[in-house]
Amino acid sequence: MNPSTESRGAAKRALLSLAIGSFGIGMTEFVVMGLLPDIATDLLPTLWASSPEDALSQAGWLISLYALGVVVGAPTIAGFVARFPRHRVMIALALALTVFNALTVVLASFELVGASRFLAGLPHGAYFGIGALVAADVMGPGNRAKGVAFILTGLTIANVVGVPFGTFLGQQWGWRVAFGVVAGVFALATLCIAFFVPEHPGEPGRTMRAELRVFRIRQVWFALGVGAIGFGGFFAVYSYIAPVVTDIAGSPEWVVPIVLVLMGLGMTAGNLVGGHLADISVKRTLLLGLAVLAAVLVLLALLSFWIVSLAIMVFIVGFVSSVLSPTIQTRLMDVAEDNQSIAAALNHSALNIGNSLGAFLGGAVIAFGWGFTAPAWTGAALALAGLLIAVVSYRSEPVRTAQVRS
């Protein structure tokens, strides 16, 4: 599928269909953050009554379990399905996302809900990875990062509309209602993909063994490290934004969805800008983006005691983090040689290792009694660590290759 063989309208319908699924992924991944106190109260009532901080920390495991599902599912599913037609793979992935999110709605215990979150994470990376390849083909040479940014647009818009709306629904009528909406979004995506995404061949000659050769490439490991550690700084903050708004800034619970809207607006703008900047220079965008992310997380920690300054910093954090998202994706595709299917999916493994790591470390510093601003300081340290990995990666790259990829 490319502009010479498909009409512009057909291509838009195909990409919008895929974006509906990425919208659903954005909701299912991030709506947990705003509803963490509600989930902890419902699934861990005894622990909540004795120690809300410990209950919130344990409820954060649901974020980590989803992220673990992404980490496990992205390379295994993408490697296995590389040889199959991509439009059929996308239908199957969207259907799986529908079923697994519906399980979150109906399962009763914390342990079973945790299992459903793990399952829901499994198709995440393959969906984005294969969808990114379709989008890159549509956009054509020289615009790969813009294509990647397009498929991520549904996720960022979810943070403007879907996550705040789901948070509001969950606060008013129970957190399970939010996941019911998520399952409905994925059901719609399944139908739209089936009708509007045309045939798109896979790579019949590819095997799982061939795809796994990507792990022999040293620069791939560096790129994964940048995503897993550097981007973890964002998740350390985002995972616990609700108690920062209510306990640190002293605002009522209804302010949380508004703050999430601002985060989503920043992410949407940053994603679009990041696609353009990465097409100009992946290296400069990656290095400068990580440095700025560390700085703004420090400012968020210092300015979170007033809701206005907190809101401004949340917007900026969302913007900077999403500038990095298509940039890291493009860097990984650049260094993966001919292993594009699994490379595109591995980016989401890396980012969700960051999700899991950030949520875990953010919850740990809260459980240690260091307060709800401690995750921001932790996030700044992770961003700086990611910057260090990026610097080492570029310095260890052959000069001629680095010039081509800069």
Side-chain angles (χ1 to χ4, degrees), residues 1 18 78 81-94 126-138 193-194 197-204 206 211 333 338-342 344:
M1 185 175 67
L18 296 173
V81 303
R83 65 185 184 273
F84 297 111
R86 289 172 179 159
H87 63 292
R88 295 183 183 176
V89 170
M90 296 305 294
I91 293 171
L93 293 173
Y127 185 98
F128 272 123
I130 297 170
L133 294 177
V134 174
D137 286 347
V138 170
I193 292 169
V197 174
E199 292 189 8
H200 196 287
E203 301 176 79
R206 299 299 292 181
E211 288 291 313
M333 293 168 69
D338 64 341
N339 306 286
Q340 293 297 296
S341 292
I342 196 167

Side-chain angles (χ1 to χ4, degrees), residues 40-67:
T41 305
D42 180 37
L43 296 180
L44 302 165
T46 303
L47 184 59
W48 178 267
S50 61
S51 175
E53 290 82 5
D54 288 345
L56 281 171
S57 180
Q58 185 170 330
W61 296 356
L62 298 179
I63 300 171
S64 297
L65 285 168
Y66 179 89

Side-chain angles (χ1 to χ4, degrees), residues 136-148:
D137 286 347
V138 170
M139 296 299 289
N143 295 292
R144 292 174 309 124
K146 296 184 185 71
V148 172

Side-chain angles (χ1 to χ4, degrees), residues 29 66 69 74 96 113 186 196 225 274 299 361 371:
E29 182 173 14
Y66 179 89
V113 169
F186 283 125
F196 298 122
L299 289 175
L361 293 178

Side-chain angles (χ1 to χ4, degrees), residues 66-76 121 346 348-354 356:
Y66 179 89
L68 180 61
V70 180
V71 173
V72 172
T76 53
L346 278 173
H348 297 278
S349 283
L351 297 185
N352 277 273
I353 290 174
S356 181

